[in-house]
Amino acid sequence: MAVNCRNVSVSPLVAVLVVFFGTGSWVAINGLWVELPLLVKLGIPEGYQLASYLTIIIQLANIGPVLFVILSYATPKHIRLEVPAIYLVVTIGITACTLLIFFWDGTTYWDVVNDYRSTALLILAFFLAIVDCTSSVAFTPFMSRFMNLYVTWYFVGEGFSALLPSLVALGQGVGGEEGCRANFTYERYINGTKNNCTDWITDAKSERFPPEDFFIFLTAMMSSCGLAFILLNYLPLSKRERIPQECDGPLEGVEQIPSVSSSQESYTMIRNGYGATAEPDDADKDIPVESLTQKNAIYLFVILGWVSGLSNGVLPSIQSYSCGAYGLDTYLLAATFGNIANPIACFLVFLWPQKSKTLVTTTAILGTLFGSFCMTTAVLSPSPPLQFKLAGDIIIVACWVCVTAFFTYTKATIGWILRNANGSRSLLIWFGAVTQIGSLIGALIMFPLVNTYNLFEGYYADPCDDKVDCIPA
């Protein structure tokens, strides 16, 4: 049967399936991250330290993609592991999200810290982190089976994995600021004098829906990802959209679309880095290749390590302290808008890629400056500057959005530069390694500072502190 290798167009149904498939890539961890403000408000045992726990958990979960890469190199080339790997990680993701619905608030006593900890939440977060980290190296190889036109739709789905949970978290809210109300009044004699006394209690305003409903949403998203993958794997219409083996040259309409390997650095690779091992395909041959001196490569890797350490390790560990003192609503806005800024910055590089090392340096410096302010507010917690003022809320949210945007843009631009240099495959492998090493070092530095040495103090205000309990009758 003759295969039509020209006039390739996108099937709307397959494009929708690809978007749902891509949405499941990082939706679980992104969802947990934007849910942190509410979990802190509801009195989870870790409190403000929960962010540092989640940061170190994500770094440890990179054992998943490491094992995938090792197994991929160890198996014969004709055996492709991405399909069984996707079945496994999606099943784990659905199961973990389902268990969170029932056990997110389960605690046990930890002798090592002499306190209670959210054991179920932390364990399930670890499995979800493995799912999302492994998706970076398993999902994109599977997408390489399809026409490169669908790669753009896959990255649209990855963008939705940050956008959708952020919008749901904004709709959920954290319940607003707590108030104080009189519970009951009574008479009491103090030093022989009759006093009228009031028992004050905190009047907590509830969120619009509980965490259980939010985790149901995450379960539904992971389930839709799994269903989309099954349909992409077995639906006859989906199979017709795969790259025909009989076509020798690039397909018409495909050569102008970045391939999986060239698009990887624009979003997924900045999350994990291991996806950079993909071989260039025919669509990449039209990309001009430039020479990159060893000095310039080292310079870019130093910036990459610095930016990765700050954005993936240091700053996420203290975001709760930096924003919490301005109010949990402000913390929620900073977490969600920062989550949204990540894919936007990636798509800017995807649409208008730049290769200027000066631009890389500038954005890295700007991100560091904004990050320094965020660190300052965390150090000064529970009394940061402009506390209880609208200007302070706006500034801290804007700073966290700028930190995410500038650092994400820096990493994606470095990836683009390396992708278009001679020896890009080895350079991108180093991209992944440096990203992970920097992130791990940042997380390992901050975890003991936050949890062992308690260098940061959370803001726990009691609205009833200024109330007078008893007054003379």
Side-chain angles (χ1 to χ4, degrees), residues 259-410:
S259 69
V260 171
S261 56
S262 63
S263 301
Q264 186 78 1
E265 67 273 10
S266 69
Y267 186 81
T268 307
M269 199 170 61
I270 64 159
R271 293 283 200 174
N272 199 281
Y274 293 101
T277 58
E279 291 283 3
D281 61 14
D282 291 336
D284 297 323
K285 295 179 180 179
D286 294 333
I287 300 177
V289 178
E290 299 180 0
S291 60
L292 186 67
T293 65
Q294 183 180 23
K295 180 180 179 181
N296 287 335
I298 293 174
Y299 176 74
L300 291 177
F301 284 134
V302 169
I303 292 181
L304 177 64
W306 171 259
V307 168
S308 299
L310 290 179
S311 62
N312 298 339
V314 174
L315 293 176
S317 300
I318 54 91
Q319 185 179 32
S320 53
Y321 296 95
S322 173
C323 303
Y326 292 94
L328 292 178
D329 282 322
T330 302
Y331 180 16
L332 176 65
L333 291 176
T336 52
F337 287 164
N339 221 24
I340 295 172
N342 189 308
I344 292 176
C346 291
F347 280 119
L348 286 178
V349 178
F350 183 82
L351 296 175
W352 299 289
Q354 303 293 326
K355 300 179 182 178
S356 171
K357 300 176 188 64
T358 302
L359 177 62
V360 169
T361 305
T362 302
T363 53
I365 291 175
L366 289 174
T368 302
L369 291 176
F370 283 109
S372 299
F373 180 81
C374 295
M375 177 62 74
T376 300
T377 58
V379 172
L380 296 177
S381 178
S383 301
L386 298 178
Q387 190 180 23
F388 309 123
K389 295 183 179 179
L390 178 61
D393 297 343
I394 295 175
I395 290 174
I396 195 62
V397 171
C399 281
W400 276 102
V401 171
C402 289
V403 165
T404 303
F406 282 123
F407 280 160
T408 300
Y409 188 90
T410 300

Side-chain angles (χ1 to χ4, degrees), residues 17-39:
L17 292 177
V18 169
V19 170
F20 274 103
F21 177 59
T23 302
S25 57
W26 277 89
V27 71
I29 288 300
N30 285 331
L32 271 180
W33 197 259
V34 296
E35 192 72 357
L36 289 186
L38 178 58
L39 297 181

Side-chain angles (χ1 to χ4, degrees), residues 69 73 261 264-265 269 272-279 301 304 415 418-419 423-437:
V69 171
Y73 276 108
S261 56
Q264 186 78 1
E265 67 273 10
M269 199 170 61
N272 199 281
Y274 293 101
T277 58
E279 291 283 3
F301 284 134
L304 177 64
L418 299 178
R419 179 62 188 85
S424 61
R425 186 176 187 277
S426 62
L427 289 173
L428 290 177
I429 292 175
W430 277 105
F431 180 104
V434 172
T435 299
Q436 292 311 120
I437 291 172

